[in-house]
Amino acid sequence: MYGVAGMAAFEKTMAYAKSKGMIVMADVKRNDIGATAACYANAYVGKTPMPYGEEQAFSSDIATINPYLGVDGIKPFTEACAANGTGVFALVKTSNPSSGQLQDLKYEDGRTLYEAVADLVEEWGAETRGETGYSVIGAVVGATYPGQLAEMREKAPHTFFLVPGYGAQGGGAEGVAKAFDDKGLGAIVNSSRGIIAAYQQEKYASFGAENFAEASRAAVEDMRADIAGALANR
């Protein structure tokens, strides 16, 4: 919402995270038809042709994408990922309350739309599966739908999950644990407001707004312990 200034802050934040050795994910939900999808892919998970050679436009290692356009909008991303050691997560079952308006619609064969997309993600990633069995394209499956998480983990064994909705949106550790495979791998759990705005929560209010970073750190440590405990008790 801040226009060019916002994009500058976005790029600066990613570059800072990269300088600290972090893996950076751009939750941009991009896509379009093939030619434009290739430009998005170059910008976020590939390299862009510049006057003095190819360069990475943004300092991201992973991006979220919209699968609605089908394989035409997916292949440019998987190709860029395979060439650059990066990855993408396609929207499958999102964490927002109204996701079912479209994602829960059923096909004649009984599958829901999100199940059909999950099947396609497995198919689209087949050529890029590595030693761990996972590919460069994963699936976004919300923590607010733990039943679907467990279902998708079983049906999509080669798909890495990005799990939004933990914390502020109501997702809990017990449900999130269902996203991981038998080795405790295969998922990244995302908490945005619960960490960024931790100092506004009653639990961390004692830190005060001036110590927001310390409050965020405490929230991260609590989240990690919470999920680790749930995984141990599966």
Side-chain angles (χ1 to χ4, degrees):
M1 69 180 188
Y2 295 110
V4 175
M7 290 299 290
F10 173 66
E11 194 281 331
K12 184 177 180 181
T13 301
M14 287 195 292
Y16 177 78
K18 288 284 284 196
S19 75
K20 298 299 181 181
M22 300 179 73
I23 294 173
V24 178
M25 184 185 306
D27 186 14
V28 290
K29 300 179 178 68
R30 293 289 190 266
N31 220 327
D32 210 308
I33 59 172
T36 309
C39 293
Y40 282 136
N42 289 342
Y44 291 101
V45 292
K47 293 180 180 177
T48 301
M50 302 287 191
Y52 304 103
E54 291 188 333
E55 296 180 9
Q56 189 175 21
F58 293 108
S59 304
S60 49
D61 303 291
I62 302 169
T64 55
I65 58 174
N66 191 324
Y68 199 77
L69 288 92
V71 71
D72 291 346
I74 298 296
K75 198 167 181 61
F77 284 94
T78 56
E79 289 176 344
C81 289
N84 294 278
T86 50
V88 288
F89 285 102
L91 303 178
V92 172
K93 178 60 179 173
T94 56
S95 59
N96 56 303
S98 65
S99 66
Q101 284 188 316
L102 290 177
Q103 295 165 17
D104 291 357
L105 294 176
K106 288 193 173 183
Y107 281 70
E108 290 182 358
D109 63 9
R111 291 182 302 165
T112 60
L113 176 58
Y114 75 81
E115 288 174 321
V117 176
D119 288 343
L120 285 171
V121 169
E122 281 273 296
E123 178 185 322
W124 292 333
E127 295 180 359
T128 60
R129 288 174 193 160
E131 294 179 2
T132 63
Y134 292 109
S135 72
V136 300
I137 179 169
V140 177
V141 186
T144 47
Y145 299 100
Q148 282 89 340
L149 262 178
E151 177 185 292
M152 288 295 96
R153 181 72 286 156
E154 182 177 347
K155 292 184 176 181
H158 305 292
T159 301
F160 216 94
F161 290 169
L162 172 61
V163 187
Y166 175 90
Q169 291 188 51
E174 185 177 341
V176 161
K178 298 175 181 179
F180 293 85
D181 62 22
D182 293 339
K183 297 179 181 179
L185 305 173
I188 299 173
V189 181
N190 176 65
S191 175
S192 298
R193 284 172 290 165
I195 292 172
I196 296 171
Y199 70 95
Q200 296 178 348
Q201 301 173 39
E202 184 177 353
K203 183 177 181 179
Y204 306 107
S206 60
F207 285 95
E210 67 279 7
N211 296 311
F212 68 90
E214 288 81 358
S216 293
R217 182 182 182 87
V220 170
E221 291 174 342
D222 288 346
M223 173 183 171
R224 183 171 61 182
D226 189 29
I227 294 172
L231 282 171
N233 293 325
R234 282 196 305 179

